[in-house]
Amino acid sequence: MTVSFSDQPEAAVRRSEHKRDDPDLGILSSRTLFSLQRELFSAIAEEGHPALRPRHGAVLAYLDEEGSRATDLAAQSGQHKQVIGSLVDELVELGYVERRPDPADRRAKLIVPTAKGLDEMAKSDAAMARIEARHAAAVGEEAYAEFKRVFRLVARRQSAAEPQ
């Protein structure tokens, strides 16, 4: 199928070619996410955490050292609470987190990183810092800082536009 992106019939291009040559925000975001995940999880696997998968990032990327509530992890990651619960179950089994009573509300539970979880979190943060530093060096510190500022703005606006 060809799609005309202008009034000129000779400008008709295949949709796949257009998406390849001028990718939209969704394509750029997914390419970036999947590539980052591959690099990050490869790096942390080499540093002693081979059992983790990108899906575990929905918990580990947002987990506070003193622990976090599952509802907070769900809100921050954009995942449903049931998904977070399942991921926490996997991470408990793998030895990265444990559930503890929340001292502020004994009815609630905190998801708390174990020593193994803290090690992974530190290594993951260091790997992400190396990745970001590499990109900043390639495009320039100011350009990278501006890119992140604009990307945060777009992400915030897109999140606010989602139907509830």
Side-chain angles (χ1 to χ4, degrees):
M1 176 178 164
T2 60
V3 179
S4 178
F5 294 98
S6 75
D7 294 336
Q8 305 300 320
E10 64 272 2
V13 295
R14 295 180 69 212
R15 186 170 187 269
S16 61
E17 292 169 352
H18 173 70
K19 296 288 187 173
R20 180 195 64 220
D21 297 340
D22 187 18
D24 60 37
L25 180 61
I27 291 171
L28 290 172
S29 297
S30 65
R31 284 182 187 168
T32 303
L33 173 64
F34 298 143
S35 178
L36 273 171
Q37 287 178 332
R38 281 190 301 273
E39 184 173 349
L40 176 62
F41 282 84
S42 176
I44 61 174
E46 290 175 9
E47 295 188 42
H49 301 281
L52 293 176
R53 298 294 173 258
R55 66 181 180 271
H56 296 127
V59 172
L60 295 171
Y62 302 98
L63 189 60
D64 290 325
E65 291 182 10
E66 66 277 7
S68 302
R69 288 185 178 182
T71 53
D72 294 333
L73 295 170
Q76 290 175 302
S77 68
Q79 297 290 327
H80 291 285
K81 188 177 174 192
Q82 293 84 350
V83 171
I84 294 299
S86 176
L87 293 171
V88 168
D89 289 343
E90 290 178 24
L91 290 167
V92 165
E93 189 173 315
L94 292 169
Y96 285 92
V97 301
E98 58 189 24
R99 288 182 174 91
R100 293 187 192 160
D102 184 342
D105 180 356
R106 288 290 183 187
R107 297 167 301 171
K109 295 283 186 194
L110 285 179
I111 312 308
V112 181
T114 62
K116 185 177 182 179
L118 291 170
D119 181 67
E120 182 283 332
M121 291 162 62
K123 288 177 177 173
S124 175
D125 289 347
M128 280 304 303
R130 288 190 303 270
I131 292 168
E132 290 205 56
R134 185 181 75 232
H135 291 303
V139 301
E141 296 285 336
E142 285 184 36
Y144 189 72
E146 179 63 5
F147 162 74
K148 282 192 67 176
R149 185 191 72 76
V150 171
F151 197 65
R152 276 192 299 272
L153 177 62
V154 170
R156 197 170 23 248
R157 289 179 53 82
Q158 178 60 40
S159 295
E162 290 178 356
Q164 300 299 323

